[in-house]
Amino acid sequence: MIFDFFGTLTPSTPEATWDRHAAQSAAPLGIPAATWRRALDDSWDERATGRLGGLTETFRALALRCGADPAPGPLAASCRARRRCQQELFAFRPDTEPTLATLRANGIAVGVLSDCTVELSEAWPELPIAGLVCARVLSCEEGRRKPDRELFLLLARRLGVAPAQCVYVGDGGGRELSGAAGCGMTPYMLRAGDWHDNKVHDREQAWPGPYLGSLAEVLALPGLHPPGSA
Ligand SMILES: [Mg+2]
């Protein structure tokens, strides 16, 4: 079973949170928060495909685009602020860990496929779900974004299963559900109560279903019994 990360394993992130976070990493650089927020938004594709490098290199490049040339101290302070803010985004839904743990206890392989930037890649080993995830594919490590079929196929390979055996669960960012369906996976849109609060790129607004109303509902999906079980 494959899960999207943001807005799926984690709650949705309201717009105000993005603004607040941008302001915190803008301040040490002396860049207006709105300018910095725009630089972050405009560079989403580059950051999500890892083209700007690690966080320090990324922030140096973005600061230069904003007309600043930060000294090492302010640049490091900005990166620290960013990592603190990102930690807030790595908080999971209440049913995430129990659901993943139940899947694993039932012999189901669990994968994560995320369009994300280098901060998640760096923080991954410390995440409380890291030990529950059998394989991950992160866009910033692969240089591709959803719905690139190579990402889906790569994760199936890492999980050691055929794409047709995979159930894919996501909130619909990056046209991920069509991407999953296009390589033979069975996709479900997670449409939890906070679905409308999430700012996502390329959301699949017209997805006709099927839907899940909560993450824990995956435990009731048909066909999830491991090989050899009754
Ligand atoms: Mg998502």
Side-chain angles (χ1 to χ4, degrees):
M1 177 160 298
I2 296 175
F3 296 93
D4 165 50
F5 189 87
F6 293 107
T8 299
L9 297 180
T10 71
S12 296
T13 304
E15 189 67 21
T17 301
W18 297 110
D19 280 333
R20 179 168 56 80
H21 285 181
Q24 290 184 23
S25 51
L29 300 170
I31 295 171
T35 305
W36 186 240
R37 169 77 200 269
R38 200 159 44 244
L40 285 166
D41 285 352
D42 290 348
S43 61
W44 163 248
D45 181 68
E46 293 168 281
R47 292 184 297 114
T49 51
R51 297 206 300 279
L52 296 180
L55 185 58
T56 303
E57 298 152 276
T58 296
F59 271 22
R60 184 192 305 285
L62 296 187
L64 288 168
R65 291 178 192 178
C66 294
D69 186 5
L75 184 60
S78 174
C79 292
R80 278 197 303 276
R82 174 71 175 184
R83 289 194 178 98
R84 269 198 311 276
C85 290
Q86 291 276 308
Q87 282 300 323
E88 283 181 40
L89 306 185
F90 304 154
F92 295 96
R93 294 185 184 277
D95 52 353
T96 294
E97 287 179 64
T99 300
L100 300 191
T102 302
L103 289 170
R104 292 298 309 282
N106 283 281
I108 307 293
V110 170
V112 170
L113 174 51
S114 179
D115 272 1
C116 66
T117 56
V118 66
E119 297 91 325
L120 180 59
S121 175
E122 288 180 356
W124 188 274
E126 311 304 324
L127 296 181
I129 64 160
L132 295 170
V133 176
C134 308
R136 69 173 206 225
V137 168
L138 306 182
S139 65
C140 63
E141 294 178 348
E142 306 302 334
R144 300 165 184 268
R145 276 174 50 196
K146 299 174 189 175
D148 189 316
R149 62 186 280 115
E150 288 304 319
L151 296 175
F152 295 87
L153 298 176
L154 177 61
L155 186 47
R157 279 200 302 278
R158 287 182 180 171
L159 289 170
V161 297
Q165 291 176 276
C166 296
V167 169
Y168 185 93
V169 178
D171 67 328
R175 289 175 285 135
E176 61 191 346
L177 304 172
S178 305
C183 35
M185 297 182 179
T186 303
Y188 288 83
M189 177 183 269
L190 175 64
R191 227 176 146 148
D194 57 358
W195 189 78
H196 287 288
D197 296 335
N198 207 6
K199 175 186 181 293
V200 298
H201 299 263
D202 286 345
R203 171 168 272 168
E204 224 137 7
Q205 297 288 356
W207 178 249
Y211 298 104
L212 299 171
S214 75
L215 202 59
E217 286 180 23
V218 300
L219 299 175
L221 290 178
L224 282 184
H225 304 293
S229 71

